[in-house]
C-alpha cells in the first residue's frame, strides 16, 4: 500500500539524517522524499512517500511522532499531491502530437539547446506515470522525476 506522509519538523541540522536513519534502521523504504522550509517559520515540511502493510505504516507514523524535531505528522486525510518530471528529447525526433500531450499533462517546454528540448510536466503521481509511458515514442535521452509534494486539505 502506498502512503503519503506530510511531516513538519524543526528546521535544524541533522533532521533529515535522523528521519532517513529511522527508515533505514527499521528496513522501511522511502519511495520519494522532498523537503522545503515553511515560509516565515523555523519549520520545514517533508513529504515522504512510502509503502508497506498497514501495521508497517502505523509503525512508521508512531516512530516519526517519537523523533525529537518532529512537530506534526499528517498521515490521514486528503492531500493535494503533485510531482514534476523533466524529459530531454532530441531535436531529431518528430514532435507531432507533443504539444497536445504537454497541454494534457500541465506541461511546457522548459529549455532547449542545439540538439534537444527539455519538457516539464507537473501533475498527479499516476498521471506522471502515464505521461512517461506516452513520451517514450519521442525517444527521450534523459528523464528526471521529482518526489511528491503534498498539502493537506
Amino acid at each position: 500500500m502506498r502512503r503519503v506522509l506530510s511531516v513538519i519538523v524543526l528546521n535544524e541540522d541533522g533532521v533529515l539524517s535522523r528521519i532517513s536513519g529511522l527508515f533505514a534502521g527499521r528496513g522501511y523504504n522511502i519511495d520519494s522524499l522532498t523537503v522545503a522550509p515553511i515560509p516565515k517559520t523555523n519549520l520545514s515540511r517533508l513529504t515522504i512517500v512510502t509503502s508497506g502493510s498497514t501495521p508497517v505504516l502505523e509503525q512508521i507514523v508512531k516512530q516519526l511522532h517519537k523523533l525529537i524535531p518532529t512537530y506534526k505528522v499528517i498521515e490521514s486525510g486528503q492531500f493535494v499531491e503533485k510531482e514534476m518530471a523533466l524529459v530531454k528529447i532530441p531535436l531529431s525526433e518528430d514532435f507531432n502530437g507533443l504539444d497536445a500531450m504537454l497541454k494534457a499533462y500541465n506541461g511546457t517546454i522548459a529549455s532547449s539547446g542545439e540538439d534537444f528540448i527539455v519538457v516539464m510536466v507537473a501533475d498527479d503521481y499516476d498521471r506522471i506515470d502515464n505521461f512517461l509511458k506516452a513520451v517514450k515514442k519521442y525517444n527521450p535521452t534523459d528523464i528526471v522525476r521529482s518526489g511528491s509534494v503534498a498539502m493537506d486539505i
Side-chain angles (χ1 to χ4, degrees):
M1 174 189 317
R2 181 178 184 271
R3 176 73 61 92
V4 177
L5 304 171
S6 183
V7 183
I8 310 298
V9 296
L10 287 175
N11 189 357
E12 62 183 30
D13 295 341
V15 172
L16 188 57
S17 174
R18 282 180 261 168
I19 289 179
S20 63
L22 180 154
F23 278 79
R26 288 161 180 81
Y28 306 143
N29 188 40
I30 297 175
D31 296 332
S32 76
L33 171 67
T34 56
V35 183
I38 298 173
K40 300 178 182 174
T41 69
N42 62 344
L43 304 172
S44 289
R45 177 185 300 265
L46 289 85
T47 303
I48 303 169
V49 179
T50 187
S51 56
S53 65
T54 300
V56 166
L57 294 171
E58 288 174 0
Q59 188 64 30
I60 290 170
V61 171
K62 286 178 184 174
Q63 295 298 320
L64 284 170
H65 278 292
K66 290 181 182 177
L67 282 179
I68 297 299
T70 300
Y71 175 72
K72 186 176 183 183
V73 179
I74 305 164
E75 47 91 21
S76 61
Q78 294 184 345
F79 290 101
V80 173
E81 180 188 358
K82 297 292 177 187
E83 286 192 13
M84 185 183 83
L86 298 170
V87 179
K88 185 186 288 184
I89 302 172
L91 285 179
S92 59
E93 294 297 318
D94 177 8
F95 293 128
N96 191 18
L98 181 62
D99 194 42
M101 188 184 313
L102 290 175
K103 284 182 182 175
Y105 289 96
N106 301 317
T108 186
I109 296 174
S111 184
S112 62
E114 287 185 25
D115 302 326
F116 63 89
I117 62 168
V118 175
V119 298
M120 177 188 80
V121 292
D123 214 318
D124 299 337
Y125 170 80
D126 292 331
R127 289 182 49 80
I128 294 291
D129 274 348
N130 293 336
F131 174 79
L132 294 178
K133 289 176 188 169
V135 81
K136 284 183 180 179
K137 74 179 190 178
Y138 299 105
N139 298 313
T141 57
D142 200 6
I143 297 174
V144 177
R145 185 173 181 166
S146 75
S148 291
V149 292
M151 177 182 283
D152 54 309
I153 53 174

